[in-house]
Amino acid sequence: MLVYTSDLKKLGEGKEVSLRGWVHRYRKLGENKIFIVIRDVKGIAQCVVKKTSVSEKTWSNAENLYIESSLIVRGNLKKDERAPTGVEVVVKEIEPICVGFPYPIQKDYSEEFLLDMRHLWVRSRKLQAIMKARHYIITYLREFLDNRGFFEITPPIFTVSGAEGGSEMFEVEYFGNKVFLTQSSQLYAEAMIFSLEKVYSLAPSFRAEKSRTRKHLTEFWHLEPEMAFYSQEDNMKLQEELVSYAANSLREEEELQSSLELLGVDKETLKISPPFKRIDYSKAIEIVNERGGKIEWGEDFGVDEERLLVEGEKAPIFITNFPSEIKAFYMKEDPKKPGTVLASDMLAPFEHGEIIGGSERISDYKELVEKMKRFGLREENYSWYLDLRKYGSVPHSGFGLGIERFVKYLLNLQHIRDAIPFPRTINRFYP
Ligand code: NSS
């Protein structure tokens, strides 16, 4: 019977099973015994090959394996307290699929080497656990929005109009024209709300940022919901409910318990619920300065300021009402606090920092044209976007959540590059 490594515990002593997978560990004990730890999608299992109880062929197959050789193993289950799952497979037969070559990841575990070997390192148990969790996290995010009546849309990646400031865009030659890789799908999501009212896109965004930090990628996956008739308050409510739903679903996911354990995730940190604390930007400036930082009104928060702001927090917090001049052109002014916008950043605790940026958008044509002028943007590059304010404009809001930042926070990862299989950073685009 072909089973997964995780099935072994449930099956009885003596049962005959076949396992299919890869050699994770390999150890020869004396002349007559070989221990092979097999890895498959579900986990690992210990197999023992005894020279005296297998055919010559199987013994020589076992002797010739390398780390990461692929194979099928047949044998009988035996209880063994020392084996990782409490049972081991006493091997009867080994059928190699690909013996291959000596595995290059042996002693050198330096970060740079592992990044060069990323195409192989994605098999490591740590990355396997992270990628499983990432899959589930994305599933919860979609599930939550789908249950609220959202439609998923698919925006273009080649664009001409930047959403977040033109200097950080990657240029692409497009049959003699100059286009850019999208920074954000927001402007297209905005176009779609006039048809579908509540939409989201999950697509890559590209940022030619020269930031060398543990939270910046040049290519990241971006979840961007956009909602007609939502105020900024409705927007923040949706965000805190979405984030809480994903965190708690992750905590409770049966399929992921061993992955969370392997990653050392403290499940208490995933017990979060709305409402999240809201701190006005002006108050946030005071807090930063009280806690030993140095920042003036009108400056944006960097990594250090974000760290001070979430000091002692157990759940994410919102910073609201940023000065208009330091935020994007499409954000609506707060009529109650002139000079500031109806926008929020969601900062995650434990030094993970910003995971969401959102705002209510300017829905009035004249107001948008004026603000674009003030920001030095060329109207002709945005004429289609301005059309949205000419024909049946409505109040609307939306936000962007960086998938890798979110995964990094929920799994408490040291570096954002481990939240994506093939990270793209300022000096890394291979493999
Ligand atoms: O620049 S954002 O703050 N906002 C936008 O792009 C809006 N147009 C989103 C919207 O309202 N639809 O980026 C949003 C999030 C931010 O909070 C991070 O979580 C993530 O996107 N982000 C990044 N993740 C990884 N690497 C980089 N460089 C990065 N930049 C933003």
Side-chain angles (χ1 to χ4, degrees), residues 244-308:
S244 302
Y245 177 81
N248 285 288
S249 303
L250 179 69
R251 181 169 63 85
E252 289 163 9
E253 181 62 59
E254 246 174 65
E255 288 293 318
L256 284 180
Q257 293 308 311
S258 59
S259 297
L260 297 179
E261 204 171 297
L262 189 138
L263 295 169
V265 174
D266 173 2
K267 287 202 281 172
E268 283 303 303
T269 62
L270 300 175
K271 251 188 210 167
I272 53 174
S273 55
F276 295 168
K277 196 186 273 183
R278 289 148 164 72
I279 303 174
D280 181 277
Y281 170 88
S282 303
K283 177 81 192 154
I285 293 287
E286 279 174 32
I287 294 176
V288 168
N289 288 322
E290 273 164 23
R291 293 183 181 165
K294 203 168 177 302
I295 188 168
E296 280 179 35
W297 203 94
E299 289 178 334
D300 208 353
F301 301 119
V303 176
D304 293 334
E305 290 77 29
E306 286 185 359
R307 195 189 58 223
L308 292 171

Side-chain angles (χ1 to χ4, degrees), residues 164 184 186 207 209 217 224 330 354-355 361 399 402:
E164 300 300 320
S184 157
Q186 176 193 323
R207 306 270 165 115
E209 280 173 298
L217 295 167
E224 301 192 78
Y330 50 73
E354 186 194 324
I355 50 175
R361 323 305 191 184
F399 63 92

Side-chain angles (χ1 to χ4, degrees), residues 198-262:
K198 289 192 289 187
V199 302
Y200 68 89
S201 62
L202 179 56
S205 282
F206 302 86
R207 306 270 165 115
E209 280 173 298
K210 296 221 168 76
S211 314
R212 243 180 267 264
T213 74
R214 289 182 291 148
K215 32 184 266 187
H216 284 89
L217 295 167
T218 52
E219 175 185 292
F220 66 96
W221 283 78
H222 206 171
L223 177 74
E224 301 192 78
E226 191 72 30
M227 300 77 68
F229 310 112
Y230 267 49
S231 66
Q232 168 60 4
E233 184 53 36
D234 300 330
N235 190 16
M236 286 194 286
K237 268 205 184 113
L238 185 76
Q239 292 169 39
E240 60 196 6
E241 286 172 14
L242 173 72
V243 163
S244 302
Y245 177 81
N248 285 288
S249 303
L250 179 69
R251 181 169 63 85
E252 289 163 9
E253 181 62 59
E254 246 174 65
E255 288 293 318
L256 284 180
Q257 293 308 311
S258 59
S259 297
L260 297 179
E261 204 171 297
L262 189 138

Side-chain angles (χ1 to χ4, degrees), residues 111-129:
E111 279 303 329
E112 277 310 300
F113 179 69
L114 293 180
L115 283 166
D116 288 338
M117 289 287 136
R118 193 68 168 190
H119 52 299
L120 301 175
W121 190 237
V122 287
R123 308 171 180 200
S124 64
R125 298 205 71 213
K126 178 181 169 188
L127 282 186
Q128 183 189 44

